[in-house]
Every structure is written in C-alpha cells, then in structure tokens.
Amino acid sequence: MADGRREPPPYGRDRIRGSLGSNSPYEGGRGGGHPSMRGGYPPHGGPGGGASYQTQERRPTWRNPSPGPSESRDAVPSTSAAVSTPAFSTNVHEPPPQPQPSSSGLGNIGRPLHRAAGPRRRPLADTLRTRGPDAPSKHGTTGQPLQLQSNYFKLLKRVDWTLYHYQVEMVPPCASPRLMQSLVNEHKKLLGGFVFDGVQLFTACKLSNDELVLHSQHDRTGDKYELHIQRVAVVDMTDETGIQVLNLILRRAMNGLNLQLVGRNLYDAAAKIPIREYHIELWPGYITSIRQHENEVLVCCEIAHKTMRMQTCYDILRECQRHDRNFKDAFRRAVIGCVVLTGYNNKTYTIHDVTFETTPESTFDTKNGKISFLDYYKNKYNLRIRDSYQPMLLSRAKKKDTRSGDSELMALVPELCQMTGLTDSMRSDFKMMRAMADHTRLNPDRRIERLETFNRRLQTSPESQEVFKVWQMELDRRLVELPGRLLPQEMIFFSTTSNGVQAGENADWTAHFRDNPMFATVRLSRWYLIVPSRCQREAGDFLNCMITAARGMRFEISNCEMVPMPDDSPGTYIRTLDAIINRDPQMIMCVVSNSKSDRYTAIKKKCCVERAIPTQIMVQKTITPKSGNVRTLMSVATKVVIQMNCKLGGVPWKVKIPLNGLMTIGFDVCHDSKDKSKSFGAMVATLDHDNRGTPKFFSTVSHHSSGEEISNYLPLNTVKALNEYRREFGELPKRIIFYRDGVSDGQLQYIYDHEVRSLVEKLGQIYKSAGIEQDVLLTFFIVNKRINTRFFDHRLNPRPGTVVDNVVTLPQRTDFYLVSQSVKQGTVSPTAYNVIYDTSGLKIDHLQMLSYKQCHLYYNWSGTTRVPAVCQYAHKLSFLVGQYLHQTPSNMLEKKLYFL
C-alpha cells in the first residue's frame, strides 16, 4: 500500500475545520469544529496567560513532546500517508454530510487505476471468496424444516441497474473535499444518482462516453475547473466496493430520520429513555448494513442502544475536587480513554489527556486574529462557558484524519462534553444493569415492532424516498422470510455404559447430575483450603456441601487440610501458598473476601506461572448460604465440584461424535489489559481417538508483541498439539477441525493467506514425514458471534439447534448460522460459521451437526454455549493471561483445563 501514497496536499482538512488563513483558495472558514493544537502541546500559561494554539497554512507533522505519565499512554506516531477523508453525496439538494466511521465502511472505496489530483485512498482487498462455482451444495437437509423470519428487508430494484465506476481528475488540482463535491454536484442532472469520494465516481447509469470533460465554476471566487472523467470498470455488487457504495446510499437515505451519529451508529436522541435513579439515558438507535446475499440485495437492521451519562466532564471534575486530595490525577484517571459527546456539533471524541495549564481564557490563532475559547464558543455556538478556570481536555485526531498527513490535538471544554458509556463500577452494579436490561433486552415480539416502525419511518420520509428514487430502488415493507431447520436433540452421556439422556428443548441438563455420575473422574486426595480466619465457618459449611455433591457424582474427595490466615492481603496468600506448594498438592482452593483483582492475580501468577498447581478461587459471598440455609449452596457446590474435576483431568460428560481419530482445535485472542500493544493468542485442542474413550486436552499460549489478532504462531502451536496427540495415542489424528474466533470480515483474506496456507503447508510436511501421502483432512471454520443477524420463529425465539444456510447467507462463502442456546430474556443471538478451507470430504449436514455437538462440551456450564467448546476454552485461557497473568503460563499445565 506504500506505493499508493504521496505527499499530503498543502491544505488537507483545514478547509473542513475552518482553520485556513485568509489566502486560502477556498472560503472554508465557516466550517464548525474544535480549535486544534498543532505542532504539539501549547505554550503553558495560566488563566489569562495567553496560551496560544498556532495554526499554519501547511500543517506540520505532529510530534509527541516529552510525555509525562498520563501522556505516554496513547502516543500516536507520525505518519506521512496522504489519505483524505472527503465527504460523500447521493443527493445534491443539500451540502454533503461529513464522513464518519461506520460499520458500512464510509470513506474507503478501492483505489484508482491512475494518479489523480486530490486525495488517494488505501486499496481494499476484495471479499474473500472461498466457494467455487462447482462446489457441492451448502444447503443441508437434516432436521425438522422451519419457516423463520429475520431482521432483513429486501431491496426491490425497479430496474436491473449496474454500478459504473469512473475516475475523476480536476484541472487545476483541487484539495478541498467540499469544493470537489460542489463542482461535481453542478452536473447532477447528467450524472443521476452518484457517489463521489474526491477521486472516484460511482453512478447508477452509464455515461454517454467512457471519457468526458465537464466544466465547473466556483460559485464564490469564479475560478473555473475542468473535470476529466474516465470510465474504470463495472462494479460487482458482491465485492467490497459494491457493498460500501450500497451502504453509503442507505446511510444517505437514513438522513431523513433525523438520527444522530454517535461513534459508528445512528441513534434517536429525541426518543431517549431516562433512568434518573442512576443518572443515565438510553438512546435507541439502529445498526444497518446492506449487501448482496444469496439471491437478493438485503438490508439488515438491528436495534441498538447507546448509554449516555447525565453528567459532563466538568461534573466529574467537581466530584474529584470534593473527594480527592490529588484531584488532578483523579480527574485524569476518570476521563482519559473515555468517549465524550459534544452536543453543539453532535460529534464524539476520545479523551487522550488533560492540561491544567490551559483554560477557556487561553487564546488560539485564527485567520482573523487571536480569540479565546470563551469568545469562540460564544460567537460560534452562542454558548456561555461558566467556569473560565477549568482545565482543557485534549483529543488526538482519529486515524482517518492522520492518514491525510494530519496530526493534531483538539482542545475540548469539560463543561461542554457529555460522558458516554459505563464505568467498571456501573457495570458491577447489578441493580443498575437490571434496570437497563428492562429497556435493552427486547423480546422477539417487541424487536419486530421496532423494526417495522423503522421501516415505516424510512418509507414515509421525503428525503429517504428521494434517495431511493434517484437510485431507482424500493425497500420491501415486510421482514424477510426464510427456511431453517431444527437439528435433533443431542444425547448427553455420563458413562460408557449408559444410554444417555436428552439435552432437552432448552439444551440444559443440570438436573441430570442428581442421578448420574460424571463420565471420568480423578481421585482428589491431596488438597488444601486456604481461608482467612473470619471466613472459616462459611468455608467449612461449603466444604461439606462439596463432599456431599461429589459423592452423588462418584467423585472421590478426601477431607482437605484447612489452612487459616490472619488476614487476606495478597502477600499473606503468597506466603501461605509457598509453604503449601512444597507439599506437592493436587489442588489448592482459596477463599477470598471480595473480587479485588490484585489478590486474584497474585494467586494465579504463583500457581499458573511460577508453579504448576491447579487452583480454585471462591469469593466469600458465593459460599455464604442465603438466609442461613446451607442447602441453598448445593447448586453452587455441584458446579464447583464439576469444575475441580475438570482441572484435575476428569471429564463430566460426552456427546456422541461418530468420527474416530479426531482433533478439534479452538483459537482466540485477548489483548493485554496493562499494555494495549500486546495480546495473547490461546489455542486449546480436544484429542479424541475413539468415541468411547475419554478425550484428552492440550493448550498453549503465544504472545503477540504488536497487539495484532493475527497469529504467526498458529502453525507451530498446532504442531505441538499434533505431537501431543501422537504421544497419547501412537499415531497422528485422521481429521482436524479448526474453529478460529476473534476475526472480523476485513481480516478474512489475511487469515487465509497467512494462517491457513502456512498451517496447511506445515501439516503436509508433518504427515508426509509420517508416511501419509494423502492431503490432510482439515476443516477451518471462522466463528463470529458479534453479528447483527437475528431470527424469529412465529414471533418467538428459535429453539436451540436451529440452522439457517440460505437466503441471508453469502453466495461467495460456505457459511451458515446456528442458534445453539436458549435465553430467558431478550432475543437469542445466532453464531455465524464460515468454512474458508475444507478438505475433509464431509457433507454440510455433518459440519453443521458437528459444530452443534461441540457447543455441548463446555464443562463450565451444563448447557450449550454460543460457540464450540474449544473456542470458549480458548477465550477463557486468553482472557486469564491477558487480564491477570500478563505472561505465558507454565507448560506443565498444558494437559489440564486449569483455566476454567
């Protein structure tokens, strides 16, 4: 992509922000925005000290000054990439909207074939096509047929239009996105419906000639321009460019709904739901996308909610001043990294730092001379800032801005910045989250009503109708109907001799543990219970419950040795653990007084990194009986006993998988909570030699130094799992099923080129060295649970085991959706499975049923999970390492599920 870069234009985004000098060739000073700091931090000055924000005609590269403790967290490196952020327009009756990041990919449309004046864009890879024209059918037949609805609307085309791609070059060159838009808009009658990004033009109708020269004139200065338009290609509506243009059209049509863009999505501020008890508001909104599916262009619409706090950054400052002696550091901790909304321009900003040396009385330069922040907001927005001595918030430019050669800091007034999102303390407030859930967890019936209301608003808005008319499109008023199938219920086996029990309609078999043993257990004879002295009575009662529960599941637990401690400080736990570990225990249980992370981290680091001892940590509140009735702890004790058996190497239950020699692998990534530039990739493999045996497990963690989610260690870690399989069973697995989580659509091509191909090559070498000449039987799934697709079964939630592999799937993929869970509140979320590599020879029915079976094997929950068990294990392991250990665990624990 470096070959597509060039030096940034002399004015860049200055025209949009209204910060050009008077000698600018374009009168852009009207644009609203924030005063910005260029060339680093401003000169320090107290109130009235005249701290000046310098604005230059040509923007200098932003350089990070000597960072202080709070400034070094998010240092943004300089960049010379010249990729601008022009506006888009599909309706020339109004000024074009400013581009904003969105799920539709606003502002990234391919790469022109020739150099042209104005901004350049990064090249985009085409959508990964993993399904050939002669591939076998991807529509399964197993299961009970269903007729479902989904949160999609058909895009009805009145004519069979095609998208034409042209390149535009302006003579003389023009660097102003707004001016370029206005020059092209003069020819709206000739162009019809169009999308223009400053270099590339996409039209619904073919122009009269493949090469045209149009003439435009600046309506204020009278400057004349020539528009050289050259045809490039016809756009395939299933590739990345076509998808993005469709999304731009849809976003433009939604402008008529008077929604507010917050972050990436649109929200209805007028319909906000106040929860005054907790000083928050919920803004309802919509997440939309449009693309070519199997046979139709479909619009997906999902209901979303944005949490807005009824307090400004200034309110937080006052709280810090009242309650903290060092209020400056407290305020920094409270706001740095938070996203705020500025109501006067309806934009969001991430706070990167706070400067107490600069205040609203400080001044910055404009083309008309110096002006203070107080006067700027008074003149520009008619806003009066009450406290002229408050500090200023600093927000760095977003990536899309820095690509144009920009590097700047924007100064924000705390008094004018509304806080968004939730703090950790808010998330831990059960009552508040419950109050929010009453509004955000919509059952299928309410969700369908909201979707139909959205459709009606879109159909009746004049502005929306104008956009659809220009592009000769029409939106269907009904939700899409599609076929689905309900897979048979799975049988849960608690022993090799039992006939098994059905998982049930809700896929929950917790009650069956009362009458059945666990499939395989490991006798627990040497273990210790570390407990603070004040918790001994609760710990003793819970221990008795555990022994009773274990006896019913044929799990032998000997009485442990209870080790009391005088206090519950992390240091005391470490000293006690050091003394116990020398006695070679099988397991150590620790009772902690609360959920503070420092204590949990100290215990896990000692037992997972320095030594290799499985541990079970219990919070005092969890083991305290309700109303003094010890029997209320039996449910918790049963789950803990199952968990402890798994950590020792036992297996609670199995499902029938009629494939011998199978190795199932899951992979996920978690970022380091201390250092965002680091991440950890965890791989967990289940080793099954035959269906009647006890499965074995293998896990490993790799450190990613640059914070990426792409793993260069994936082939190496897979080879480790193969070697472990060969040590256990004396041969290599006959078949490998790989479930890869944590991948977005934009990374699919990279995953295929770097992970899958290198994995296939490495496996080929291993199998050939073992004398096996045939291709490795490998199936590589991409698993995605962060999707907006929802399904409805007669206005109810689909039952667990519901599969959809038609209508809303994509023609270039072998993909399907699987509903594997049941929920008691809200609408159930399906999981998307995308097969990007498959040499197994299995039918799609087999792959779908195998994936559903895998959702029954997560031993931390006696029910199904949203993703296959190996993916959930990998997530648990990567989360443990990324959040608490911050280093790879001991390889002595590789064969145990110690991370449950």
Side-chain angles (χ1 to χ4, degrees):
M1 298 197 296
D3 58 345
R5 294 175 175 171
R6 63 179 182 181
E7 288 302 313
Y11 300 102
R13 288 169 53 259
D14 282 347
R15 297 183 180 86
I16 296 178
R17 295 205 179 265
S19 56
L20 281 181
S22 58
N23 58 346
S24 167
Y26 175 61
E27 297 292 330
R30 308 176 315 279
H34 282 293
S36 54
M37 294 171 55
R38 297 169 180 84
Y41 290 105
H44 295 324
S52 175
Y53 286 66
Q54 299 297 326
T55 302
Q56 302 179 14
E57 265 188 31
R58 181 184 293 271
R59 288 178 186 263
T61 301
W62 184 88
R63 291 182 176 84
N64 189 19
S66 300
S70 65
E71 299 167 357
S72 60
R73 279 176 37 144
D74 266 302
V76 179
S78 301
T79 176
S80 61
V83 185
S84 74
T85 55
F88 290 88
S89 175
T90 57
N91 186 339
V92 296
H93 299 291
E94 295 182 8
Q98 293 301 311
Q100 298 287 345
S102 73
S103 58
S104 63
L106 285 169
N108 278 323
I109 305 234
R111 182 175 66 176
L113 300 183
H114 307 282
R115 292 184 63 87
R120 282 183 80 90
R121 298 203 159 273
R122 293 181 302 163
L124 287 176
D126 286 339
T127 303
L128 178 63
R129 299 173 183 272
T130 55
R131 180 173 176 78
D134 56 346
S137 173
K138 70 181 213 179
H139 308 312
T141 57
T142 302
Q144 172 190 343
L146 300 172
Q147 191 65 25
L148 306 172
Q149 284 183 307
S150 187
N151 58 334
Y152 287 80
F153 298 100
K154 287 183 181 178
L155 190 64
L156 306 176
K157 292 181 288 187
R158 293 178 179 171
V159 295
D160 188 17
W161 57 270
T162 305
L163 201 63
Y164 296 93
H165 178 191
Y166 294 87
Q167 179 182 310
V168 179
E169 182 175 357
M170 297 205 175
V171 180
C174 173
S176 166
R178 285 191 175 184
L179 177 55
M180 287 190 287
Q181 286 289 342
S182 65
L183 296 176
V184 174
N185 286 348
E186 292 182 20
H187 306 282
K188 59 186 179 182
K189 292 184 179 179
L190 173 66
L191 300 175
F194 70 90
V195 171
F196 177 58
D197 74 346
V199 173
Q200 299 166 103
L201 178 73
F202 298 89
T203 65
C205 57
K206 186 178 179 180
L207 302 184
S208 56
N209 293 311
D210 289 347
E211 294 188 15
L212 286 175
V213 178
L214 304 178
H215 299 273
S216 298
Q217 185 173 352
H218 196 299
D219 57 353
R220 293 191 178 186
T221 64
D223 294 339
K224 295 183 179 180
Y225 292 85
E226 289 184 355
L227 279 61
H228 294 257
I229 302 177
Q230 182 177 1
R231 183 179 169 188
V232 176
V234 177
V235 175
D236 181 358
M237 300 308 293
T238 64
D239 70 13
E240 193 72 23
T241 302
I243 291 169
Q244 291 189 20
V245 172
L246 285 173
N247 277 281
L248 290 169
I249 297 170
L250 178 63
R251 182 60 66 98
R252 184 65 186 88
M254 290 177 64
N255 282 354
L257 305 186
N258 296 321
L259 302 177
Q260 184 169 318
L261 189 67
V262 181
R264 297 188 172 195
N265 303 314
L266 293 165
Y267 297 92
D268 192 350
K272 60 187 176 185
I273 305 167
I275 306 178
R276 302 189 185 281
E277 182 182 357
Y278 300 102
H279 306 289
I280 59 174
E281 296 173 340
L282 295 176
W283 289 13
Y286 307 98
I287 302 173
T288 58
S289 64
I290 178 172
R291 71 186 302 166
Q292 174 71 49
H293 289 266
E294 293 292 347
N295 301 309
E296 304 280 353
V297 177
L298 301 179
V299 177
C300 177
C301 179
E302 171 59 348
I303 308 300
H305 292 86
K306 183 70 175 177
T307 305
M308 309 295 291
R309 286 145 65 180
M310 294 180 184
Q311 61 180 170
T312 64
C313 293
Y314 185 74
D315 295 331
I316 295 177
L317 173 65
R318 296 303 300 269
E319 287 182 11
C320 293
Q321 289 173 335
R322 285 194 297 266
H323 299 108
D324 293 274
R325 180 175 299 176
N326 190 353
F327 73 91
K328 292 184 178 180
D329 287 345
F331 181 58
R332 281 195 173 97
R333 288 193 301 268
V335 299
I336 288 179
C338 293
V339 176
V340 298
L341 173 72
T342 50
Y344 49 84
N345 64 352
N346 292 332
K347 290 186 178 181
T348 56
Y349 301 89
T350 301
I351 304 304
H352 294 101
D353 207 346
V354 181
T355 171
F356 286 86
E357 290 77 17
T358 305
T359 70
E361 286 191 343
S362 303
T363 61
F364 62 96
D365 285 344
T366 68
K367 65 180 181 180
N368 297 320
K370 289 187 177 182
I371 188 173
S372 69
F373 290 99
L374 291 170
D375 294 336
Y376 174 83
Y377 285 102
K378 177 64 177 176
N379 299 338
K380 182 72 177 177
Y381 299 105
N382 196 27
L383 293 172
R384 186 172 67 88
I385 298 174
R386 297 180 180 179
D387 185 352
S388 57
Y389 296 99
Q390 60 188 298
M392 300 292 283
L393 308 175
L394 302 180
S395 176
R396 287 195 180 92
K398 297 175 182 178
K399 288 184 178 179
K400 69 185 182 74
D401 300 333
T402 58
R403 292 189 196 114
S404 63
D406 243 355
S407 191
E408 64 177 17
L409 284 171
M410 287 169 284
L412 310 174
V413 182
E415 200 175 295
L416 306 178
C417 296
Q418 182 179 0
M419 298 293 292
T420 70
L422 299 174
T423 64
D424 291 338
S425 60
M426 288 178 173
R427 291 189 179 94
S428 60
D429 187 336
F430 176 78
K431 292 183 179 179
M432 191 193 79
M433 299 303 290
R434 183 67 178 269
M436 289 179 55
D438 292 340
H439 299 283
T440 58
R441 290 182 182 173
L442 304 177
N443 60 36
D445 195 51
R446 287 180 61 195
R447 190 175 294 269
I448 290 173
E449 289 178 5
R450 294 272 294 274
L451 292 171
E452 291 173 342
T453 301
F454 166 76
N455 187 292
R456 282 195 299 272
R457 291 180 64 185
L458 205 58
Q459 299 278 9
T460 56
S461 166
E463 186 175 343
S464 303
Q465 284 298 296
E466 177 67 20
V467 174
F468 286 136
K469 182 179 179 181
V470 167
W471 286 92
Q472 304 176 12
M473 296 187 298
E474 182 182 354
L475 193 64
D476 196 355
R477 296 178 181 270
R478 300 171 300 169
L479 292 174
V480 166
E481 296 185 353
L482 68 165
R485 290 175 289 112
L486 181 64
L487 299 179
Q489 289 185 30
E490 287 297 326
M491 299 297 293
I492 308 299
F493 294 92
F494 293 96
S495 70
T496 55
T497 57
S498 68
N499 295 325
V501 297
Q502 284 194 331
E505 283 194 2
N506 294 327
D508 186 349
W509 51 94
T510 304
H512 293 292
F513 277 102
R514 300 170 187 166
D515 309 313
N516 292 280
M518 285 190 278
F519 189 88
T521 59
V522 177
R523 188 173 186 274
L524 181 57
S525 56
R526 303 184 316 279
W527 66 298
Y528 295 83
L529 175 58
I530 299 177
V531 55
S533 298
R534 64 175 181 270
C535 305
Q536 279 185 268
R537 183 175 60 83
E538 292 92 341
D541 291 341
F542 185 71
L543 180 59
N544 293 331
C545 289
M546 285 176 52
I547 293 174
T548 303
R551 189 180 301 118
M553 292 184 285
R554 315 295 193 272
F555 179 26
E556 294 185 48
I557 296 182
S558 302
N559 283 324
C560 71
E561 181 178 337
M562 188 177 294
V563 182
M565 301 187 311
D567 59 73
D568 61 351
S569 67
T572 305
Y573 278 98
I574 295 302
R575 288 190 294 271
T576 307
L577 286 169
D578 283 333
I580 292 175
I581 287 173
N582 294 328
R583 305 178 196 176
D584 190 26
Q586 287 177 276
M587 175 170 284
I588 299 175
M589 175 180 281
C590 298
V591 176
V592 295
S593 56
N594 53 47
S595 302
K596 283 189 176 180
S597 60
D598 57 344
R599 197 180 296 112
Y600 183 88
T601 299
I603 296 171
K604 287 297 182 182
K605 275 190 175 182
K606 172 61 68 175
C607 296
C608 294
V609 179
E610 298 179 24
R611 306 297 291 266
I613 306 295
T615 55
Q616 185 74 31
I617 300 179
M618 302 300 301
V619 181
Q620 181 184 359
K621 182 180 178 181
T622 306
I623 65 174
T624 301
K626 297 178 181 178
S627 304
N629 186 0
V630 178
R631 293 188 61 83
T632 59
L633 297 175
M634 285 303 296
S635 175
V636 177
T638 300
K639 294 178 180 179
V640 171
V641 165
I642 295 171
Q643 203 174 58
M644 290 172 62
N645 182 43
C646 293
K647 292 181 178 182
L648 294 171
V651 174
W653 65 81
K654 282 188 62 175
V655 297
K656 186 177 181 180
I657 300 178
L659 291 174
N660 291 329
L662 177 66
M663 182 167 75
T664 310
I665 301 175
F667 185 88
D668 203 356
V669 175
C670 183
H671 297 294
D672 192 306
S673 60
K674 285 187 175 180
D675 186 351
K676 297 301 182 183
S677 67
K678 297 179 181 178
S679 58
F680 293 92
M683 193 190 81
V684 178
T686 304
L687 319 178
D688 286 288
H689 189 247
D690 62 75
N691 190 56
R692 299 185 64 84
T694 302
K696 306 294 182 181
F697 298 95
F698 176 82
S699 63
T700 185
V701 176
S702 54
H703 172 242
H704 303 177
S705 58
S706 56
E708 77 278 3
E709 294 199 352
I710 309 299
S711 175
N712 296 321
Y713 300 95
L714 191 143
L716 178 62
N717 291 338
T718 305
V719 170
K720 291 181 182 179
L722 285 175
N723 292 334
E724 182 60 32
Y725 191 101
R726 183 153 43 185
R727 278 193 293 269
E728 287 285 347
F729 305 115
E731 61 180 1
L732 291 171
K734 297 175 183 176
R735 197 182 306 273
I736 300 173
I737 307 293
F738 205 114
Y739 292 98
R740 174 69 157 92
D741 203 350
V743 180
S744 65
D745 273 2
Q747 296 173 311
L748 286 179
Q749 186 70 54
Y750 195 90
I751 290 287
Y752 183 80
D753 290 340
H754 290 78
E755 289 188 359
V756 178
R757 287 184 175 177
S758 59
L759 176 61
V760 171
E761 181 181 353
K762 195 68 176 177
L763 291 177
Q765 296 173 0
I766 298 292
Y767 276 74
K768 282 184 181 179
S769 65
I772 302 174
E773 293 297 329
Q774 69 177 43
D775 291 338
V776 180
L777 300 181
L778 170 68
T779 303
F780 198 102
F781 283 93
I782 298 294
V783 181
N784 191 357
K785 56 185 178 293
R786 294 185 179 92
I787 58 175
N788 297 319
T789 300
R790 300 291 182 269
F791 299 115
F792 314 108
D793 186 357
H794 296 87
R795 303 181 83 89
L796 298 173
N797 277 320
R799 288 164 284 178
T802 298
V803 172
V804 173
D805 54 17
N806 205 344
V807 180
V808 295
T809 50
L810 300 180
Q812 67 269 21
R813 298 180 183 176
T814 301
D815 59 343
F816 59 89
Y817 294 94
L818 173 62
V819 177
S820 55
Q821 285 184 304
S822 64
V823 296
K824 296 180 180 178
Q825 290 181 309
T827 305
V828 68
S829 298
T831 300
Y833 292 81
N834 181 14
V835 183
I836 66 172
Y837 185 88
D838 183 24
T839 55
S840 66
L842 296 175
K843 296 180 180 179
I844 189 65
D845 281 301
H846 299 149
L847 295 177
Q848 292 171 356
M849 289 190 291
L850 181 62
S851 299
Y852 186 45
K853 288 175 183 288
Q854 288 292 328
C855 294
H856 292 70
L857 296 174
Y858 180 62
Y859 298 139
N860 226 8
W861 169 248
S862 49
T864 49
T865 50
R866 280 191 65 187
V867 295
V870 285
C871 278
Q872 191 65 24
Y873 289 137
H875 170 72
K876 285 282 288 187
L877 178 53
S878 62
F879 185 82
L880 171 67
V881 178
Q883 294 292 314
Y884 301 106
L885 302 184
H886 309 292
Q887 53 189 310
T888 55
S890 169
N891 56 12
M892 300 295 290
L893 293 170
E894 287 178 343
K895 299 181 184 180
K896 297 178 181 179
L897 300 176
Y898 63 94
F899 42 82
L900 284 184

